[in-house]
Amino acid sequence: MLEISGLCVGYGGHEVLSGVELSVHPGEVAALLGLNGSGKSTLLRAAMGLMPVTAGRVMLWGEDMTALSARKRAQCCAYVPQRSRVSDGLTALEVVLMGANARMPLLGAYTAAQHEQAQACLEQMGAEELALCRMGALSEGQKQLVVFARALMQKPRAYLLDEPDGALDWPHRFAMMRRVRELAAYGCLALVVLHDPALALNLCDRVLILQEGRVTKTLDLQKADDAHIEEAMRALYGEVSLVRGRDGLALLPDGGP
């Protein structure tokens, strides 16, 4: 279980997160929605121990994430940022293999079985043909598929995903989120920052709304009716309407088509 309590983060004399409280349970996919600058990326980076916190704690499976080594954090949790900083000279397969590093001896060599696993992770993302391509030759969307495949290679029990769909085309967005749902079915948990409310409303179990550095609303999508969902979306996005169609929920601006 992921438990974040009283989390405060600030830099440059400015407080970005102020007493954030949230939890994500095993088997659950929780979406984090918020406007630009609300602190969504900061929250994930702080939870992953990648930046200092001024107060509060982050507990994952009963361990304090801020007290763990980078190696130990990588064993229990995979983090996918908005943009990859992987060297352009590496091949996609080499990047995916890096997901095994946290569980290998230092200076150990990758085994044939690990090469097969890395190739399988690329295949799960529909990116097997990219295996021998250099990262510098890939589009941003292709890079995101490779980085997510690397997260699969880590075999963690938790995923922190910062707009994993941001650079992807429409079919790959849904394919990635469906893969996250499959992982949750095996007992993993995921906290996913999304900009597309349709993905959150149709493919997640709960929606957490971040405003002014706090989680102001939590929607259990198995229990909330359309009126409560629309009310929460309006609190975040303004005058919008919820539409329930044959293929799920959609959010439209009032006065739109």
Side-chain angles (χ1 to χ4, degrees):
M1 180 175 178
L2 172 66
E3 294 182 279
I4 297 177
S5 56
L7 187 66
C8 298
V9 179
Y11 42 81
H14 173 63
E15 189 173 59
V16 179
L17 300 176
S18 176
V20 170
E21 304 275 346
L22 66 84
S23 62
V24 185
H25 299 270
E28 184 177 46
V29 180
L32 186 64
L33 299 181
L35 300 180
N36 290 338
S38 60
K40 302 184 299 299
S41 296
T42 298
L43 175 55
L44 259 60
R45 287 177 55 81
M48 196 61 195
L50 300 177
M51 61 186 307
V53 305
T54 55
R57 65 178 188 172
V58 179
M59 303 296 292
L60 181 61
W61 312 116
E63 295 192 84
D64 185 349
M65 286 285 280
T66 61
L68 298 179
S69 67
R71 181 179 175 86
K72 183 64 176 178
R73 288 197 303 268
Q75 290 175 0
C76 61
C77 186
Y79 169 65
V80 175
Q82 291 182 25
R83 290 289 182 269
S84 168
R85 297 182 180 178
V86 176
S87 169
D88 285 347
L90 295 175
T91 67
L93 187 63
E94 288 171 335
V95 171
V96 177
L97 280 166
M98 292 166 61
N101 288 353
R103 302 183 186 278
M104 291 177 60
L106 293 178
L107 304 179
Y110 299 119
T111 66
Q114 287 172 323
H115 276 83
E116 291 178 2
Q117 291 168 9
Q119 185 68 40
C121 290
L122 284 170
E123 289 173 2
Q124 290 177 43
M125 300 311 301
E128 61 271 19
E129 75 281 359
L130 303 179
L132 300 182
C133 296
R134 302 287 176 185
M135 292 294 285
L138 303 183
S139 70
E140 290 301 319
Q142 290 172 323
K143 289 179 182 178
Q144 201 71 348
L145 293 175
V146 173
V147 172
F148 190 81
R150 180 181 65 184
L152 297 178
M153 187 72 181
Q154 285 179 239
K155 298 181 179 179
R157 295 174 63 199
Y159 291 81
L160 299 181
L161 311 176
D162 192 357
E163 295 183 39
D165 63 312
L168 298 179
D169 54 33
W170 189 81
H172 280 108
R173 288 184 177 191
F174 279 86
M176 177 174 286
M177 287 304 298
R178 289 192 184 102
R179 182 66 185 118
V180 175
R181 287 234 54 91
E182 291 169 0
L183 294 166
Y186 286 96
C188 294
L189 65 83
L191 178 60
V192 190
V193 170
L194 293 170
H195 266 309
D196 185 347
L199 287 177
L201 295 175
N202 290 294
L203 293 173
C204 295
D205 300 295
R206 283 192 300 141
V207 171
L208 313 173
I209 295 178
L210 188 67
Q211 294 175 296
E212 298 181 354
R214 293 177 178 270
V215 175
T216 58
K217 289 184 181 294
T218 300
L219 281 174
D220 183 338
L221 295 173
Q222 302 300 316
K223 299 177 180 179
D225 59 25
D226 288 3
H228 284 96
I229 295 173
E230 185 174 80
E231 178 187 4
M233 295 298 100
R234 288 191 170 205
L236 178 59
Y237 297 118
E239 295 303 312
V240 295
S241 296
L242 186 73
V243 178
R244 183 178 290 276
R246 181 178 60 186
D247 298 322
L249 296 173
L251 204 62
L252 298 176
D254 282 358

